[in-house]
Amino acid sequence: MSIKSTIEKVIENAEKLNPTLNSFLSIEREYALNRAEELDQNQDDLALKGFAIAIKDNICTEGMQTTCGSKILHNYKAHYDSTAASRLKEAGAIIIGKANMDEFAMGSSNESSAFGICRNPWDTERVPGGSSGGSAVAVASGVVRASLGSETGGSVRQPASLCGIVGFKPTYGRISRFGLVAFASSLDNIGIFGQTSEDVAKVLSVIAGRDKNDTTSADVAVPNYISELSNEISGKKIGVPRALFGEGLDADVKNAVEQSIENYRKLGAEIVDVELPHAQYGIAVYYIIATAEASSNLARFDGVRYGFRAEGSHSLRENYYKTREEGFGAEVKRRIMLGTYVLSSGYYDAYYSKAQKVRNLIRQDYINAFEKCDVILTPTSPTTAFKIGEKSDDPISMYLSDIYTVSANLAAIPGISVPCGLSNEGLPIGLQLVGKHWAESTLLNMANVYEKEFPLNAKPPIFVG
Ligand code: GLN
């Protein structure tokens, strides 16, 4: 089959499902078909030739809209490609559209998008998780095999868990952030969704590695993630922080994750107890550091340089006020205010610098724990997909969705969510593995072996395979 006819089918599927799921904010029919035609003529052996991919709408793609799910960037078209997008293009992947998301990647349900909620294909009355909800749904509904999301505190792993697919966050510095619109720069990463960990490995192999345009990208050799996928896992040590399996954890999630620990034991892994004594402070620390950095990063959206500008202002200052007042949604404003507060003189020491110290303790906890084990296993999310509207008026309960994921961002370590079962209601559950800095191969391999031996064997009711 030609690449063009494959891509035609992908676009058709995306267009067919989008009125129901709203996972795409834009579908790039013309671009994708032209590119497919070019690739059909291309004789080169490219790593991702003809591979359809969706990209979260906060990752710049030249000539395509990049709205960050915000009115303030309505109709904004990026002038350049992010490094991830340009490496994907060079490898022959075809960007088929930009995916829905919580506004500026702030949220765990995709409900804060200025362009409408995105629905979970397992149950359209439920959220897909967030903030990369659209990217997760594009994969979970079968439109694409893989997509890019972004991760500041779990925005790839959590929706992957709620949608029954694989979601991967690299070590900070592994994938260039050039062209990823900044939310909280010390925590932000580009992450990858895949129907399988092999899909993730394929994409990671192409986009990982040092980039001169991002000084925080690391000059650490990139292994062959694909050839390292089928390594033996027997003898691997899995650390389980039992103290985190208590309050707030759904019984179904707990049971499925306990079962996955037993399954790993059957596969020859050794299970050891570990402690992460400061993990309980993760949410508080994250919501101080992330909002502080966001309040600074989002200052650039002022109605002058990008996207939306409010009408009817009589002065520059009024124009800033009105543009930001009208352009940002409630959650983004809440974060900017929180962040400004924790950085203000008089509160800086009490909140921001204290949070930085605790961040270090959290990081140290992992370093200590990894002396006893290769990876650490927990649930990805304390619950399965919740109902649309269930948490949207209660920011604290929404923030608690990130309890198992934020620490990996604080510690800059890699993590992966792998489907490990269904709840009594038939909703997917994910297990999370986090690993040592740069140990992406270990995570992908452990995930791959699990998927092969204990596959989910279920697809959502809305699926175009
Ligand atoms: N849900 C978290 C938040 O709202 C994480 C977001 C993310 O990883 N981008 O900040």
Side-chain angles (χ1 to χ4, degrees), residues 56 58 102 104-109 130-132 150-158 183 187-188 286-287 290 331 335 398-399 401-402 405-406 409:
K56 187 174 180 178
N58 61 348
D102 277 300
F104 283 103
M106 297 173 183
S108 308
S109 68
S131 64
S132 315
S150 72
E151 261 267 359
T152 305
S155 278
V156 169
R157 287 163 288 154
Q158 184 258 12
F183 161 9
L187 300 160
D188 291 344
Y286 170 80
Y287 278 93
E331 183 60 27
R335 306 266 181 130
M398 188 77 85
Y399 297 171
S401 313
D402 307 329
T405 49
V406 291
N409 298 70

Side-chain angles (χ1 to χ4, degrees), residues 41-348:
Q41 306 306 321
N42 181 317
Q43 303 301 321
D44 300 344
D45 188 18
L46 303 171
L48 292 176
K49 198 170 191 175
F51 188 89
I53 194 150
I55 296 193
K56 187 174 180 178
D57 216 18
N58 61 348
I59 299 175
C60 290
T61 40
E62 190 182 351
M64 294 178 193
Q65 71 159 53
T66 300
T67 67
C68 294
S70 181
K71 183 177 167 190
I72 213 162
L73 286 174
H74 185 48
N75 282 337
Y76 171 73
K77 288 206 164 89
H79 298 290
Y80 64 94
D81 271 327
S82 54
T83 299
S86 73
R87 288 184 181 175
L88 285 169
K89 284 181 175 175
E90 272 163 37
I94 300 181
I95 302 168
I96 62 135
K98 300 299 292 287
N100 202 350
M101 57 182 286
D102 277 300
E103 187 177 3
F104 283 103
M106 297 173 183
S108 308
S109 68
N110 214 112
E111 289 167 292
S112 78
S113 167
F115 307 112
I117 51 176
C118 170
R119 293 175 187 270
N120 192 317
W122 290 86
D123 175 353
T124 53
E125 294 305 306
R126 291 176 189 269
V127 304
S131 64
S132 315
S135 304
V137 171
V139 173
S141 61
V143 172
V144 284
R145 291 210 60 92
S147 62
L148 297 188
S150 72
E151 261 267 359
T152 305
S155 278
V156 169
R157 287 163 288 154
Q158 184 258 12
S161 167
L162 272 46
C163 290
I165 56 172
V166 179
F168 169 81
K169 172 214 174 286
T171 310
Y172 185 84
R174 186 48 112 184
I175 299 177
S176 166
R177 290 181 297 116
F178 180 70
L180 166 66
V181 178
F183 161 9
S185 311
S186 77
L187 300 160
D188 291 344
N189 303 256
I190 286 180
I192 305 168
F193 292 96
Q195 291 191 9
T196 62
S197 45
E198 196 178 331
D199 298 321
V200 172
K202 278 188 196 159
V203 173
L204 181 64
S205 303
V206 165
I207 65 176
R210 169 80 187 155
D211 170 22
K212 66 175 181 2
N213 288 325
D214 174 4
T215 51
T216 64
S217 71
D219 205 359
V220 174
V222 177
N224 184 333
Y225 296 111
I226 301 159
S227 69
E228 292 195 19
L229 272 183
S230 328
N231 290 339
E232 187 56 58
I233 70 158
S234 108
K236 283 273 179 231
K237 288 195 176 138
I238 300 181
V240 179
R242 290 265 164 222
L244 304 184
F245 282 54
E247 209 191 331
L249 180 58
D250 264 12
D252 280 3
V253 177
K254 182 162 192 253
N255 292 340
V257 173
E258 294 284 3
Q259 183 59 50
S260 75
I261 296 172
E262 278 320 301
N263 291 346
Y264 267 119
R265 204 195 296 274
K266 283 184 210 145
L267 294 173
E270 189 185 327
I271 311 298
V272 298
D273 284 332
V274 292
E275 275 167 44
L276 298 171
H278 300 91
Q280 57 182 309
Y281 306 114
I283 292 275
V285 169
Y286 170 80
Y287 278 93
I288 291 172
I289 294 176
T291 57
E293 294 184 18
S295 71
S296 160
N297 275 326
L298 269 59
R300 59 168 66 86
F301 302 105
D302 54 9
V304 176
R305 283 169 287 186
Y306 320 90
F308 171 77
R309 178 180 302 170
E311 311 230 318
S313 311
H314 302 288
S315 67
L316 184 62
R317 183 174 287 257
E318 194 189 346
N319 181 47
Y320 290 160
Y321 284 156
K322 279 177 79 107
T323 298
R324 289 167 69 83
E325 157 75 41
E326 291 171 31
F328 287 137
E331 183 60 27
V332 173
K333 286 179 187 158
R334 181 181 296 122
R335 306 266 181 130
I336 293 173
M337 285 189 279
L338 274 170
T340 309
Y341 179 80
V342 298
L343 288 176
S344 58
S345 87
Y347 295 104
Y348 184 96

Side-chain angles (χ1 to χ4, degrees), residues 1 6 13 25 37 104 166 180 238 410-411 445:
M1 205 152 70
T6 311
N13 285 337
L25 294 180
E37 236 170 61
F104 283 103
V166 179
L180 166 66
I238 300 181
L410 292 166
N445 179 43

